[in-house]
Amino acid sequence: MKRLLIVGAGGHGRSVAEAVLDSGGYVVVGFLDDSFPELKQVWDVPVLGKVADMAQLRSVADCAVVTFGNNLLRQRVTAGLRAAGFLLATVLHQRAIVSPTAVIGDGSAIMAGAIIGTGARLGDGVIVNCAAVVDHHCHVGDFGHLGVNAAMAGGSVLGATAWMQAGSVLGCGVKIEAGRVLEPGEAVRS
């Protein structure tokens, strides 16, 4: 099994770690988090250093995933990991439903109860949180983020680094520009 480094030991980082531990696809060797050295471990998994220490830890892990909810920060740290030679892990919770025709980019996290439909395309570093839906033929740009229970109807597009907060909805075929933030419960119709 590949050795995984999780960058970020907050709530989403811990959720991603649980998904990894449940699936058995990787061995979690540790976290990186800027609360180190005060935070020394999460459960029985060590916090190995701060985010800036990533290049020094290349020998302890084969791959990494960035778990910050902030899309621009996740993008920047992911670029640093790539530059340091890490492969990017994609984490699929075993209770997510993912179409075999969907394409999911490197470094993405698909959480419990999420549904990824037929022909959906997700870029690198995407988060699809618990119970979120990316319906058939939708596209999520690099480092896009769907919050809990957010939904994209068929053929809709979420631009790069855009964020659909909890419960927000895109109607069929709606396109959201890069970097936009939808408020909780906001609906965008065509």
Side-chain angles (χ1 to χ4, degrees), residues 52-94:
D53 299 330
M54 69 177 88
Q56 300 166 25
L57 294 166
R58 177 59 189 92
S59 64
V60 303
D62 306 302
C63 51
V65 63
V66 181
T67 62
F68 301 130
N70 179 306
N71 297 339
L72 296 176
L73 178 59
R74 192 168 65 258
Q75 182 179 41
R76 188 174 73 240
V77 173
T78 297
L81 287 168
R82 282 183 166 141
F86 284 94
L87 298 175
L88 297 178
T90 297
V91 175
L92 303 175
H93 194 286
Q94 66 181 352

Side-chain angles (χ1 to χ4, degrees), residues 150-185:
M152 297 175 67
S156 58
V157 176
L158 183 66
T161 70
W163 180 21
M164 295 177 65
Q165 291 191 47
S168 59
V169 178
L170 297 184
C172 188
V174 169
K175 295 181 181 176
I176 298 298
E177 64 275 4
R180 182 166 171 193
V181 177
L182 299 180
E183 296 302 318

Side-chain angles (χ1 to χ4, degrees), residues 2-189:
K2 290 187 177 177
R3 301 169 299 163
L4 177 66
L5 183 64
I6 298 176
V7 183
H12 185 61
R14 293 169 192 224
S15 295
V16 167
E18 282 184 350
V20 169
L21 295 170
D22 283 348
S23 72
Y26 300 95
V27 174
V28 178
V29 295
F31 289 90
L32 290 181
D33 196 274
D34 284 345
S35 59
F36 179 83
E38 292 80 22
L39 180 63
K40 295 188 183 330
Q41 68 181 47
V42 174
W43 311 308
D44 61 348
V45 179
V47 177
L48 301 172
K50 294 181 179 269
V51 174
D53 299 330
M54 69 177 88
Q56 300 166 25
L57 294 166
R58 177 59 189 92
S59 64
V60 303
D62 306 302
C63 51
V65 63
V66 181
T67 62
F68 301 130
N70 179 306
N71 297 339
L72 296 176
L73 178 59
R74 192 168 65 258
Q75 182 179 41
R76 188 174 73 240
V77 173
T78 297
L81 287 168
R82 282 183 166 141
F86 284 94
L87 298 175
L88 297 178
T90 297
V91 175
L92 303 175
H93 194 286
Q94 66 181 352
R95 290 180 193 88
I97 299 170
V98 179
S99 168
T101 62
V103 176
I104 300 173
D106 295 335
S108 294
I110 313 302
M111 303 310 293
I115 300 172
I116 311 297
T118 300
R121 293 178 298 127
L122 283 65
D124 290 345
V126 168
I127 295 173
V128 180
N129 229 314
C130 298
V133 176
V134 180
D135 200 7
H136 68 86
H137 301 98
C138 288
H139 179 235
V140 179
D142 290 344
F143 303 97
H145 184 166
L146 280 81
V148 172
N149 211 26
M152 297 175 67
S156 58
V157 176
L158 183 66
T161 70
W163 180 21
M164 295 177 65
Q165 291 191 47
S168 59
V169 178
L170 297 184
C172 188
V174 169
K175 295 181 181 176
I176 298 298
E177 64 275 4
R180 182 166 171 193
V181 177
L182 299 180
E183 296 302 318
E186 182 178 352
V188 181
R189 298 169 187 86

